[in-house]
């Protein structure tokens, strides 16, 4: 460029730009701190090195443990079999808030339902006379224990043995052999009224 006088003017000075990186800024800060603040070194106690207190060591240990987490030392369980069985957990017994049935059902098989009627056929009468045995038609669902109990409650009779069979018509026949001290013929005549 030529100025008003006609001289060759020097080119305009370029602006000075300095680019700072993190590293350079850190170096500058370090230099400043070393030059500006020169403090006297701290006086050490006569006892030598200062030991960290108990509480701080505990705190450090706790901080380390927190950093590590709870699953740091997880031991693997050794499995000795190929099958896995679900572990038995706590099974609480039921404690209902209200009864599911307002009124409980009456006994489905009481003594009167177990023994339907005594038999007085020829073969049944022969059993009564010769083998001291009473013959009854019973409920199909009644078992020998229930038949024995029903005989005890209704007729006050003790049995040595009960044999049962299901007839072709679907009813159950029971042969109740009485104890030797009781007479089947006497009971059939007095209590059953079939003789």
């Amino acid at each position: 460029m030529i100025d008003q006088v006609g001289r060759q003017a020097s080119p305009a000075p370029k602006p000075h730009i300095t680019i700072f990186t993190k590293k350079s800024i850190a170096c500058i800060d370090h230099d400043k701190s070393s030059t500006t603040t020169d403090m006297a070194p701290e006086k050490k106690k006569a006892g030598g090195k200062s030991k960290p207190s108990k509480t701080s060591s505990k705190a450090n240990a706790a901080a380390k443990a927190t950093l590590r987490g709870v699953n740091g030392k997880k031991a693997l369980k050794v499995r000795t079999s190929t099958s896995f069985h679900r572990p038995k957990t706590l099974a609480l017994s039921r404690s209902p808030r209200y009864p599911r049935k307002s009124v409980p059902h009456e006994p489905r098989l009481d003594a009167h339902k177990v023994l339907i009627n005594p038999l007085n056929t020829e073969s049944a009468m022969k059993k009564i006379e010769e083998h001291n045995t009473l013959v009854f038609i019973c409920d199909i669902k009644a078992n020998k224990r229930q038949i024995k109990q029903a005989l005890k409650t209704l007729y006050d009779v003790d049995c040595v043995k009960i044999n049962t069979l299901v007839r072709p018509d679907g009813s159950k026949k029971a042969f109740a052999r009485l104890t030797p001290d009781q007479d089947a013929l006497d009971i059939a005549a007095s209590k059953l009224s079939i003789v």
Side-chain angles (χ1 to χ4, degrees), residues 1-11:
M1 286 179 72
I2 300 169
D3 61 357
Q4 292 173 353
V5 184
R7 290 184 302 219
Q8 183 77 27
S10 62

Side-chain angles (χ1 to χ4, degrees), residues 70-177:
V70 288
N71 298 322
K73 294 179 180 177
K74 195 170 185 182
L76 286 173
K77 187 181 177 183
V78 179
R79 300 206 172 272
T80 52
S81 68
T82 54
S83 56
F84 175 79
H85 297 288
R86 184 182 58 78
K88 299 283 185 291
T89 53
L90 179 67
L92 295 170
S93 58
R94 289 185 177 186
S95 55
R97 301 273 181 248
Y98 66 93
R100 293 300 184 269
K101 277 188 173 183
S102 57
V103 179
H105 197 282
E106 63 176 10
R108 286 177 169 82
L109 270 181
D110 61 346
H112 293 281
K113 285 181 182 175
V114 168
L115 298 177
I116 296 168
N117 64 283
L119 268 185
N120 62 349
T121 56
E122 286 183 25
S123 60
M125 294 310 290
K126 193 176 181 184
K127 288 266 185 199
I128 290 169
E129 290 163 6
E130 294 178 11
H131 302 291
N132 200 32
T133 302
L134 293 172
V135 185
F136 287 90
I137 298 294
C138 303
D139 192 282
I140 192 74
K141 290 177 183 172
N143 58 31
K144 292 180 181 181
R145 285 185 210 85
Q146 287 168 331
I147 294 165
K148 190 174 184 177
Q149 189 62 42
L151 281 166
K152 182 73 179 166
T153 47
L154 291 178
Y155 305 113
D156 196 29
V157 167
D158 289 319
C159 301
V160 175
K161 186 179 183 180
I162 304 262
N163 290 340
T164 58
L165 61 88
V166 177
R167 303 201 301 185
D169 66 349
S171 57
K172 185 177 271 190
K173 191 198 276 189
F175 302 95
R177 198 162 121 235

